[in-house]
Amino acid sequence: MTSTQFARQPARAAAAAFIGTMIEWYDFYIYATASALIFGKLFFPMSSPFVSTMASLGTFAAGFFARPIGGVVFGHWGDRVGRKKALMVTLVMMGVATVGIGLLPGYASAGVVAPVLLIALRLFQGIAVGGEWGGAVLMASEHAPAGRRTFLASFAQLGSPAGLILSLLFFRAVSNLSEADFLSWGWRLPFLSSAVLLAVGFYIRVGVAESPEFARLVENERTAKLPAVEVMRTAWRTVALCMGVCTVAIGGIYFTNTFMLSYTTQTLGLDRKLILDCLFIVALLQLCVQPLAASLAEKFGTARLLKGAAFASVFAPYPMFMLVQTGRAPLIVAGIGITLTFMAAIYSAMAGFLSNAFETRVRYSGISLSYQLCGAIAGGLTPLVGTLLAHRFPGTWLPLALFYSLLSSITLLSIARLDASTRSRAAIGAVTP
């Protein structure tokens, strides 16, 4: 590799992390949207719309429960064989699973086989995305020059709102079809389009070199034999704190973009197209907030920005629900936008914050386990808990707001504790001969 090519690697790594995670999250989000809007009718037809929706959201949660498996498998591979190779495999796995979902028959034509295949492909998606996130963050952050880790790592996080925007655009377009065409074939188009995105993402990632930090580990023969075992044996408290840091960033996005989709259309009776339009505008806001938050984190301190955003997030859901209840598009956008601004700031800055918490030799496994275990709990269960609360307490949004405040409080306390722990280890390292 020439010196010019080497100098370009940080930017290429960040761009590849963004494109790759955008494609992976596009695939994940179109499933989330479909599970809230249509999968209950197609794969779980029951007399009660509530039961059908819960069954559909249950398959959505199943993908989250598979994510820790992906974190362990690809964390091990990424810490042993290399970040790049692991990321190439996860990208292909996700694309194949998503296209497969788009080809599935419904319950009416295939019976119980249809939901069984849907769940199997959803688990395949979960394993793929479980290995994707940690590798994308590390490929960007470990290529970063000194002082730029938080900002470049945030490009992997930027793929989430970009993928959400793509998914909403596709579903908004097919929502213009008649109800019969939408149920018959229109919903399949966003899934089948993943084949094109997969080819683009694969081409871009091939051109990125392996992480220089991992390359040094290999050169010095310091790779871990069983990285997941080692990280849980030596740093399980750090894993637990990192899970807490991720709680509202993961749970919050599925609260606002999955649960709120079913809540506003089914509980409040608002039009599906109206809500998709509102969520699209909010996703554009998230796309703008995240790089700004990452820049501010580098300027004022990552931990300081994370603490401030988490504190504000505790109080954000109350104005959100008051504004959403009006049913007016500008107020819905403003309400969800308030909550999402603070959540997006946390999501953007936490990648670099978490990657600094683990040694290089077990870093892929450490951040993957933390993020994906949290995803299985906070991400997978949040839409289900929200739906249960809305059903159990009809006519009031206060229990829903309190639930969101709880997620935010967990994150705030975990950020403070992990920051203190990291500072303590740094101080010990500074005085140790």
Side-chain angles (χ1 to χ4, degrees), residues 231-421:
V231 79
M232 291 306 294
R233 179 174 56 83
T234 62
W236 64 267
R237 291 183 179 85
T238 302
V239 170
L241 288 174
C242 289
M243 287 174 62
V245 171
C246 296
T247 297
V248 80
I250 296 176
I253 192 65
Y254 294 105
F255 189 95
T256 56
N257 289 293
T258 302
F259 163 69
M260 289 295 285
L261 189 55
S262 62
Y263 174 75
T264 52
T265 55
Q266 296 184 24
T267 302
L268 300 183
L270 302 181
D271 182 67
R272 180 179 66 204
K273 295 178 183 178
L274 169 68
I275 299 307
L276 288 173
D277 286 344
C278 291
L279 291 178
F280 174 73
I281 296 172
V282 171
L284 290 175
L285 173 64
Q286 182 182 354
L287 193 66
C288 297
V289 167
Q290 286 193 197
L292 175 61
S295 297
L296 292 174
E298 287 192 344
K299 183 175 182 179
F300 299 106
T302 302
R304 184 178 298 176
L305 179 133
L306 285 170
K307 291 174 188 176
F311 180 78
S313 186
V314 173
F315 304 98
Y318 303 95
M320 176 182 71
F321 276 104
M322 286 189 286
L323 293 170
V324 168
Q325 294 291 119
T326 66
R328 298 173 58 189
L331 297 182
I332 293 172
V333 170
I336 298 177
I338 291 170
T339 299
L340 189 135
T341 294
F342 300 117
M343 182 279 297
I346 297 168
Y347 189 70
S348 176
M350 76 181 194
F353 187 63
L354 297 185
S355 65
N356 286 329
F358 298 96
E359 296 180 28
T360 305
R361 58 189 270 111
V362 296
R363 188 174 288 155
Y364 200 140
S365 296
I367 66 171
S368 293
L369 278 171
S370 303
Y371 188 88
Q372 305 308 342
L373 286 171
C374 178
I377 300 169
L381 296 181
T382 289
L384 286 170
V385 172
T387 302
L388 283 170
L389 289 174
H391 183 72
R392 176 67 179 81
F393 301 99
T396 177
W397 50 261
L398 184 59
L400 296 169
L402 290 171
F403 173 56
Y404 193 96
S405 292
L406 174 63
L407 299 178
S408 301
S409 298
I410 292 171
T411 291
L412 176 60
L413 294 174
S414 299
I415 291 168
R417 186 68 188 89
L418 185 61
D419 181 44
S421 176

Side-chain angles (χ1 to χ4, degrees), residues 9 18 26 56 63 80 95 97 100 114-115 133 142 154 208 221 227 246 260 271 297 307 310 328 369 376 389 401 405:
Q9 279 297 301
F18 166 66
Y26 165 79
S56 178
R80 290 283 298 162
W133 181 83
E142 290 180 353
S154 74
V208 180
E221 299 182 347
C246 296
M260 289 295 285
D271 182 67
K307 291 174 188 176
R328 298 173 58 189
L369 278 171
L389 289 174
S405 292

